[in-house]
């Protein structure tokens, strides 16, 4: 079994979602955060049958040439509700959709945007083509009927590092990696709003099923140097400062160091699951659950790297 598949299985086993009550409606309400710019704020939580996987800060920008969407949500139902909410704000057509990475809540609503161009980094497109069906199946297990009719659809347009002018907005496309093998951040240079993709978490414990911590820390360094007025993490609270870049860096640095020290001390993965977490992180949502998932995701690689080399 591959490390990626093992991580997906462990994610399903550790999640233990509750059953949903009432109608399956997300009730999406766009919140204006800057000129022409709106966010659908997701729950600061993990995927459950109660929230239908609505844990992402998806967004859209209304430009003179049409609407730009950032992330399509965890299901076809979410994408369709998102389209309806956008229509309540503007009658301009959706022209472009950017998907930041291959995690389910970023792209599984893309069926609702079949009439628009859906774009992503080449690594994200390849990852969705390879893993998308398995990711969708795992979401069916986690959130059940919310996923009815949802199929994994890969973006069709590869994008790279560039600046795109659209309807009075200049969007800088920033290719990163570390949270996954390909992480797209988008800076609207016109408003100063940074859509950080999955690279920055704010008051919510980072997720790590595809993580390379060293590269993730380098991505945070790249974002640190940008001129930003407002930072939209894809999970957690929106802030007008860089505090959550530092918060994400602090967690990843501690997590990586703690697991490496545990391996060197001769602990096994089961023992590592219950190690104490420093008090400074106790304000992070989904803390112990994500820590345990991260142990499952990261331990095999760290343990393998610690083994003596045999020439």
């Amino acid at each position: 079994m591959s490390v990626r598949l093992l991580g997906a299985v462990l994610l399903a086993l550790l999640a233990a979602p509750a059953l949903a009550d009432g109608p399956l409606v997300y009730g999406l309400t766009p919140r204006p955060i800057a000129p022409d710019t709106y966010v659908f704020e997701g729950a600061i939580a993990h995927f459950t049958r109660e929230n239908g996987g609505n844990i992402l800060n998806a967004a859209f920008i209304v430009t003179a040439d049409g609407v730009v969407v950032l992330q399509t949500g965890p299901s076809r139902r979410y994408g369709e509700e998102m389209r309806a909410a956008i229509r309540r704000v503007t009658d301009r057509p959706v022209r472009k959709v950017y998907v930041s990475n291959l995690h389910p809540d970023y792209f599984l609503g893309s069926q609702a945007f079949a009439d628009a161009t859906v774009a992503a980094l080449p690594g994200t497109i390849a990852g969705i083509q390879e893993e998308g069906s398995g990711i969708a199946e795992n979401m069916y297990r986690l959130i059940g009927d919310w996923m009815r009719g949802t199929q994994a659809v890969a973006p069709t347009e590869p994008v790279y590092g560039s600046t795109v002018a659209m309807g009075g907005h200049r969007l800088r496309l920033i290719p990163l990696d570390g949270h996954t093998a390909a992480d797209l951040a988008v800076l609207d240079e016109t408003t100063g709003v940074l859509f950080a993709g999955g690279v920055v978490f704010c008051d919510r414990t980072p997720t790590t099923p595809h993580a390379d911590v060293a590269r993730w820390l380098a991505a945070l360094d790249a974002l640190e140097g940008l001129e930003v007025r407002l930072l939209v993490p894809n999970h957690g609270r929106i802030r007008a400062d860089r505090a959550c870049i530092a918060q994400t860096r602090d967690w990843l640095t501690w997590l990586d160091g703690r697991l490496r020290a545990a391996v060197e001390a001769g602990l096994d993965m089961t023992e590592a699951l219950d190690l104490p977490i420093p008090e400074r992180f106790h304000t992070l949502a989904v803390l112990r659950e994500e820590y345990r998932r991260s142990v499952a995701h990261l331990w095999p690689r760290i343990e393998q790297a610690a083994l003596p080399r045999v020439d």
Side-chain angles (χ1 to χ4, degrees), residues 15-311:
L19 294 175
D21 294 321
L24 299 181
V25 177
Y26 288 105
L28 299 179
T29 301
R31 171 191 164 193
I33 61 168
D36 309 320
T37 308
Y38 301 81
V39 171
F40 299 99
E41 294 178 280
I44 305 177
H46 187 56
F47 301 122
T48 70
R49 297 196 182 196
E50 291 179 332
N51 62 39
N54 181 14
I55 66 171
L56 180 85
N57 295 328
F60 66 96
I61 303 168
V62 181
T63 84
D65 293 337
V67 178
V68 177
V69 170
L70 298 108
Q71 327 314 340
T72 63
S75 67
R76 178 175 182 168
R77 182 185 300 271
Y78 183 103
E80 291 171 348
E81 287 195 32
M82 191 178 180
R83 289 297 298 262
I86 292 171
R87 283 194 295 271
R88 292 194 294 270
V89 173
T90 180
D91 59 2
R92 294 173 186 170
V94 175
R95 297 292 191 194
K96 182 77 76 171
V97 177
Y98 291 109
V99 170
S100 285
N101 66 51
L102 55 57
H103 287 169
D105 41 342
Y106 291 74
F107 79 93
L108 282 174
S110 295
Q111 286 168 280
F113 296 90
D115 58 336
T117 301
V118 182
L121 295 171
T124 297
I125 296 173
I128 292 172
Q129 290 171 338
E130 179 183 351
E131 299 188 51
S133 295
I135 289 170
E137 289 173 7
N138 194 46
M139 285 295 284
Y140 272 93
R141 289 192 291 271
L142 289 172
I143 66 174
D145 284 348
W146 292 93
M147 292 290 292
R148 284 198 300 258
T150 301
Q151 296 178 342
V153 176
T156 57
E157 180 179 279
V159 296
Y160 306 88
S162 63
T163 299
V164 177
M166 184 169 176
H169 287 256
R170 286 177 52 84
L171 305 178
R172 191 191 310 178
L173 309 181
I174 305 168
L176 303 166
D177 60 69
H179 176 54
T180 72
D183 297 296
L184 178 66
V186 179
L187 173 62
D188 186 343
E189 295 179 344
T190 305
T191 61
V193 177
L194 172 64
F195 301 93
V199 174
V200 179
F201 286 67
C202 195
D203 300 328
R204 201 273 191 207
T205 312
T207 60
T208 59
H210 296 87
D212 181 314
V213 173
R215 299 188 70 84
W216 193 342
L217 292 172
L220 293 173
D221 291 341
L223 294 183
E224 187 80 61
L226 298 175
E227 292 292 330
V228 174
R229 296 176 189 168
L230 197 66
L231 190 151
V232 181
N234 272 72
H235 300 281
R237 295 180 177 86
I238 298 166
R239 294 187 57 134
D241 56 31
R242 295 177 176 80
C244 289
I245 295 177
Q247 184 186 80
T248 304
R249 181 187 292 112
D250 188 22
W251 170 258
L252 292 173
T253 302
W254 173 80
L255 176 66
D256 184 66
R258 187 68 188 91
L259 296 186
R260 292 182 185 280
V263 168
E264 291 175 4
L267 275 64
D268 61 28
M269 190 170 75
T270 302
E271 293 171 310
L273 289 170
D274 294 319
L275 289 171
I277 299 172
E279 187 174 353
R280 70 182 184 274
F281 297 122
H282 288 187
T283 58
L284 299 183
V286 205
L287 178 60
R288 177 56 67 173
E289 298 93 325
E290 287 298 356
Y291 168 75
R292 290 172 65 86
R293 280 187 280 266
S294 288
V295 173
H297 298 148
L298 301 177
W299 188 269
R301 183 187 298 178
I302 293 174
E303 188 175 50
Q304 182 66 32
L307 294 174
R309 293 185 61 181
V310 178
D311 295 326

